[in-house]
Amino acid sequence: QRGLLLMTHRGFTLIDVVTALFIISLAAAIAVPAFRSLGEVDDLTQATRRVETLFRLARDSAIRSGLPVTVVIDSVDGLVWIDTREPLGLGSAEVRDALAYPDYAPEPDMLSALVRGENDNELLEPGSPIGLPGTVRMELPRARARFTFEPTGAALADTLLLIGPHATRAITVDPWTGDVIVR
């Protein structure tokens, strides 16, 4: 009789099995979409890379040319101007090498988005859109923010906020080195 009691208490009931299957299916329903989007670049990351590329290009061009380069961004219309005395050859191998940092690799189409049309060595037209994805908006401390990069590498810059659907990133420039800082 004692052995029968032990036998009746061992094993799983139907409720135990259904509960376990429900918990496993719930965990899978949450985890699978997260793993699918793991390799995709979201709009906020794409916008951050675009602005970071633009600032690194301006800094490296100022150092290389020995002349200050100023990036002016209109926060209302999302337009950008690059003010320099010499035109920047955005499509040149020199610029591509300058942007090839070990910890940063711009997307292949990032530089082509900064150049105008077929002529790969021309600067984007003054007052061109900065080209942020539609789900990302930009906030600046003033209507037209200035980011000036000196030939020494130093910079005088405002802070730029990129606001996506789920997060916000602040992009600043180190005043001593001109390095782009994303937080």
Side-chain angles (χ1 to χ4, degrees):
Q1 190 173 16
R2 189 172 193 200
L4 283 174
L5 284 175
L6 289 177
M7 289 282 208
T8 58
H9 292 293
R10 290 187 182 182
F12 298 106
T13 64
L14 183 59
I15 294 174
D16 293 337
V17 173
V18 169
T19 304
L21 287 175
F22 176 74
I23 292 171
I24 291 171
S25 63
L26 186 64
I30 293 171
V32 168
F35 284 119
R36 275 193 194 153
S37 66
L38 201 57
E40 297 175 6
V41 176
D42 65 336
D43 287 348
L44 185 59
T45 301
Q46 183 181 6
T48 304
R49 287 183 182 168
R50 182 173 303 276
V51 172
E52 192 174 7
T53 300
L54 182 65
F55 289 166
R56 285 186 181 198
L57 171 71
R59 177 187 177 269
D60 294 343
S61 297
I63 292 170
R64 207 173 33 262
S65 69
L67 299 168
V69 175
T70 300
V71 177
V72 179
I73 300 177
D74 184 332
S75 65
V76 177
D77 299 322
L79 303 178
V80 64
W81 290 263
I82 298 179
D83 183 20
T84 181
R85 290 182 212 151
E86 287 183 13
L88 306 177
L90 296 182
S92 68
E94 192 175 290
V95 170
R96 292 179 197 274
D97 291 343
L99 289 171
Y101 291 87
D103 61 337
Y104 174 78
E107 295 175 16
D109 64 333
M110 198 60 62
L111 282 178
S112 62
L114 295 175
V115 297
R116 144 180 57 164
E118 301 86 35
N119 190 349
D120 203 28
N121 289 322
E122 290 293 321
L123 187 63
L124 63 112
E125 299 222 10
S128 296
I130 196 166
L132 300 180
T135 60
V136 178
R137 66 184 172 84
M138 178 175 37
E139 282 190 13
L140 294 162
R142 62 187 112 240
R144 287 207 173 153
R146 300 175 66 83
F147 301 83
T148 302
F149 299 88
E150 297 294 331
T152 61
L156 178 60
D158 290 315
T159 298
L160 179 130
L161 291 177
L162 293 175
I163 302 167
H166 305 293
T168 299
R169 292 201 181 133
I171 300 176
T172 58
V173 178
D174 184 287
W176 297 102
T177 64
D179 289 333
V180 180
I181 302 166
V182 178
R183 294 184 185 158

